[in-house]
Each structure stands twice: as C-alpha cells, then as structure tokens.
Amino acid sequence: MTDHGTNQGALWGGRFASGPADALAALSKSTHFDWRLVPYDLAGSKAHARVLHRAGLLTEADRDALVAGLDRLGERFATGDLQPADSDEDVHGALERLLLDEVGTELGGRLRAGRSRNDQVATLFKAYLRDHARTVAALVLDLAEAIATQAEKHLGAVMPGRTHLQHAQPVLLSHHLLAHAWPLVRDVGRLRDWDARVAVDSPYGSGALAGSSLGLDPEEVARDLGFDGSSPNSIDGTAARDFVAEFAFVAAMVGVVGLDDAYSTGSSIMPQKKNPDIAELARGKAGRLIGNISGLLATLKALPLAYNRDLQEDKEPVFDSVDTLEVLLPAFTGMVATLTFDTDRMAELAPQGFSLATDVAEWLVREGVPFRVAHEVAGACVRRCEELGVELDELTDVQLAAIDVHLTPGVRDVLTVEGSVASRDARGGTAQVRVAEQLDELRRAVAEHRGWLA
C-alpha cells in the first residue's frame, strides 16, 4: 500500500491514497483571506509549545528551538518576506510547512500534538477581533470627540429641530450634534461588553471537539494569549461563532453645512460641484456592513455541533467589516472636524413652520389651563397664522386674545426661539446650561472608554 502522508501545505492526508482533486483544493483554499491571522497563529503556537513543555512532551531545548523558529517566521512576516505557497490550504498548514523548513520535520512535527485547526482558528479569530475591536473603538471615540468639539464651538447656536422631516421645535445645534455622539459612545460600550465575554472564553485546548488527553492546560494558553479564561465546554469552544455575529452586529451599528475642500470631491463634467462623497460613501458602506451580518447569520443558521467546514465562511464578512470601518471612520471624522455651519441661516429657519406652537401650549399649562384645552388653543393659533400668512410671534395681542381669553401678552415670553430653548432646562433638554453639562458628561464617558483602550 502506498503511504501518501500529509498533503503539502495542509494538516491532513495520511488516511488517503492520493491528494485532493484540483477543484477541491481550490474550493478549500483560504490563505487569500486568513493570512492576516499569521501573528495570532504564531502566538498561539508559541503558547502551545510552552504547555507541551510543561506537560513533559517537549524538552526545554526543543521548546526553545520551536519558539525561536516561530519568532523567525514572525520577523519575516513583519517585513513582508513570509508568503503562502500556492499549495498551502490555509494559514495553519502554511505555517507548519514553513516551520518545518525552519526547524526540521522531527522537531516541527511535534508541535501539532494536542491541538486541532478547530480550536486554533476559533481562538486566533477571537484574538484578532479583540485587537481590532480596540482599533475600531479608538476610531469611534475620535469621531465622538470631533462631534463634541463642534458642539462646544457652536454652543448657543440655534437650529430648527425636526420630526418626520418637518419643523418641530427649536433646539441648539450643539444638542443636535451630541445626539449623534451618544450612539457612538454606546457602540464603544457594546464593544467592551463583547470583549468582556470573549476574554473569558479561549477555545485553545479544546482540540477537534472533545478536549485533550495529553495533560495540557488550556488556562495557561489562555493567559499566555491575553485571555482571562478558557472555554468551559470544548464542543462549544470549537463550534460557537456567536462572537463573530455579535462583532459584526456592532460593526453594522457603527444638514446645513459646508464641506472642507480636503473632504469633498468634484465632478468630472460640472466644475462648480463640491460633492459630500464621504457622507454618501458612509451611507453606502452601512449597507455593506449590514449585508455582512446578514450573510453571516445565514451561514450560522441551523449548523449542527460541533465544528463544520461552513465556518470557514465566517471570516471574510467580518474581515471586510473591520477593513471598512478602519478606512471609513478616519475619513468621516475628518469631515466632521472640518464642517462649517451657517448659523445665521439656521437661526432664521428655527422659528419657521410654527415651531413655537408647543411652547404656547405649555405656557398655557403653566397658567392653569388643562393640556387638552391648551393643545386645541395652540392649534387654533396655528390655523389663524395660516389664514393671515404670518408666524406665531407676528400675531398681535388683539388677535391672540380673540383666539382665547387665556392668551394674554405674557405668552410673548415664549414666542421667541431663545425663550423656547432656555425653557427646556430639564436633564437631557436643549437649554444651553443643560447642553453644557451634557457635553462634560460625554467627554467623561469618552475618557473612561479611552482608559479601557490604554
């Protein structure tokens, strides 16, 4: 019988009489997208060599020689000199082949004992995403801080607040800007929550699905790789990909202005154009991020335990989400930081569309009128304004009194944008004193998240 042996650049083959068909090899190949995991694979291999030594399966000299060989591969990768061969099936098989070239088949062949690609890739993927969660979080915080800086710069400027894309109530521009900053801060909080769960669940040591019989300590490997604990169940450790779906979900979560030239583009035919391409690309790429999580969930749906080769398809969509965010966020932050606002035009628009009608109703409530009645009276004021072609503040005292006896000249205190904004002084309101407090609160939250990154 012919002894076929392990396939070149793969980690299997001994039970087969020949190598895989070309079509299978092409389908199975993943080095074109998993090569970015090389540093994490090498770190895992060094940690694995150390637990093999502690278990008495490697001498100290063998451990040191393996770690040195892995370090040399890492140095070559850092310089761009380490590349997979066409025959390599995946990052794991490629690195074993390269390690054998470095340290010889006798020593290099000992490293695979007690581990499987199943527990390897699950752990390395988690480590990769943990690193990039921090990168993405830092970029998101940069954007939140850029928004906060714009909010502070324009503290006191008013604008028309809108609901249903219609004039609703006057608000401060700073208040509106910070409404975009808080979701970003929550996104970072989601990444931290995600990381806390992943940190205590290193699958290394789970083997293919049943764990190891060689006396290896998964907790030691977990600590070596920066985790706080190992997977409590080896089947779940190798098969679970909810951490991928959750990361992809957070990634998918992640007006009257002028654009700086450096963050705008022009037209190929219309010389006057100044296009907001960054904003438009961000909107388009949001669809791409949502598509990544949708496709991933379809891949994971109804998979049986434990590991299945379907899970090779878990990486590309999330790698794409990471790459997309890491190129998009700096551009979007630069755009936000250089925005200019026509605050005079915003102030002119703020009272239009009868946006002070709610202030009339609430003034009547403070005068003792039931809100049901106050709402009807304010509505009648709007109707009269439409008949006369004027805004609310342009109604005369006589016209106001004719609408309802409760509409005394005192109502004019709230028929100004400034009075309307200042009156909304509960926590979370648009009054300048509250927005200033909110800005401080946001910056404290950003600083606390920065502490986690450090």
Side-chain angles (χ1 to χ4, degrees), residues 84-372:
D86 289 341
S87 59
D88 291 334
E89 182 177 30
D90 55 33
V91 63
H92 317 294
L95 288 179
E96 178 175 281
R97 175 184 60 77
L98 290 161
L99 181 63
L100 297 182
D101 291 343
E102 285 284 339
V103 302
T105 56
E106 169 65 24
L107 177 57
R110 294 180 179 275
L111 184 61
R112 207 195 310 167
R115 72 178 185 182
S116 161
R117 286 184 299 181
N118 298 358
D119 60 342
Q120 270 187 278
V121 72
T123 309
L124 310 184
F125 201 7
K126 286 185 175 182
Y128 170 88
L129 290 180
R130 292 189 70 200
D131 277 354
H132 285 272
R134 285 162 170 77
T135 300
V136 169
L139 295 173
V140 171
L141 292 175
D142 289 344
L143 176 54
E145 287 182 327
I147 295 173
T149 298
Q150 287 280 24
E152 183 175 37
K153 182 179 177 181
H154 295 92
L155 194 63
V158 295
M159 64 172 285
R162 296 174 184 267
T163 61
H164 310 285
L165 298 179
Q166 301 178 69
H167 286 258
Q169 293 175 276
V171 297
L172 291 185
L173 170 58
S174 299
H175 195 50
H176 181 80
L177 288 170
L178 292 175
H180 293 285
W182 283 111
L184 296 171
V185 172
R186 290 196 296 274
D187 287 339
V188 176
R190 291 184 185 98
L191 286 172
R192 290 183 66 175
D193 292 342
W194 171 88
D195 184 70
R197 280 186 288 281
V198 174
V200 295
D201 197 5
S202 165
Y204 225 113
S206 297
L209 78 160
S212 172
S213 64
L214 300 180
L216 309 180
D217 186 357
E219 290 284 296
E220 287 288 335
V221 178
R223 285 190 291 271
D224 211 345
L225 295 179
F227 289 82
D228 297 327
S230 62
S231 299
N233 184 292
S234 60
I235 296 176
D236 179 59
T238 57
R241 290 299 186 275
D242 50 347
F243 73 94
V244 188
E246 187 176 359
F247 183 95
F249 169 77
V250 177
M253 295 287 290
V254 182
V256 183
V257 299
L259 294 174
D260 188 88
D261 285 354
Y263 292 93
S264 310
T265 65
S267 166
S268 61
I269 189 171
M270 296 171 285
Q272 83 281 7
K273 291 296 293 299
K274 191 174 185 180
N275 300 326
D277 279 15
I278 291 175
E280 293 171 359
L281 285 168
R283 184 172 57 196
K285 287 185 181 295
R288 181 172 181 154
L289 295 169
I290 293 169
N292 286 339
I293 176 63
S294 298
L296 179 62
L297 290 174
T299 297
L300 299 180
K301 183 180 182 297
L303 285 182
L305 291 174
Y307 180 86
N308 296 271
R309 194 62 184 274
D310 311 51
L311 294 179
Q312 180 167 302
E313 296 302 308
D314 64 354
K315 295 166 199 65
E316 286 186 279
V318 181
F319 288 164
D320 180 77
S321 292
V322 168
D323 294 343
T324 296
L325 287 175
E326 290 183 5
V327 72
L328 171 64
L329 285 168
F332 201 87
T333 298
M335 181 191 72
V336 168
T338 55
L339 287 176
T340 58
F341 296 87
D342 188 343
T343 53
D344 290 340
R345 178 60 175 156
M346 288 181 169
E348 181 183 344
L349 293 171
Q352 294 184 13
F354 315 114
S355 65
L356 300 174
T358 303
D359 295 278
V360 172
E362 292 180 347
W363 180 84
L364 288 168
V365 169
R366 291 194 293 273
E367 294 295 307
V369 177
F371 185 77
R372 179 187 178 92

Side-chain angles (χ1 to χ4, degrees), residues 414-437:
V414 298
L415 287 180
T416 66
V417 169
E418 294 74 19
S420 172
V421 168
S423 70
R424 305 192 178 282
D425 58 358
R427 171 173 166 78
T430 196
Q432 184 168 333
V433 63
R434 294 293 173 249
V435 174
E437 291 172 355

Side-chain angles (χ1 to χ4, degrees), residues 341-404:
F341 296 87
D342 188 343
T343 53
D344 290 340
R345 178 60 175 156
M346 288 181 169
E348 181 183 344
L349 293 171
Q352 294 184 13
F354 315 114
S355 65
L356 300 174
T358 303
D359 295 278
V360 172
E362 292 180 347
W363 180 84
L364 288 168
V365 169
R366 291 194 293 273
E367 294 295 307
V369 177
F371 185 77
R372 179 187 178 92
V373 175
H375 189 280
E376 293 171 352
V377 170
C381 290
V382 171
R383 186 170 63 252
R384 184 60 174 147
C385 285
E386 289 178 330
E387 292 170 354
L388 298 173
V390 299
E391 289 290 334
L392 284 166
D393 62 326
E394 297 175 309
L395 290 173
T396 67
D397 291 348
V398 172
Q399 289 167 337
L400 287 168
I403 294 170
D404 190 273

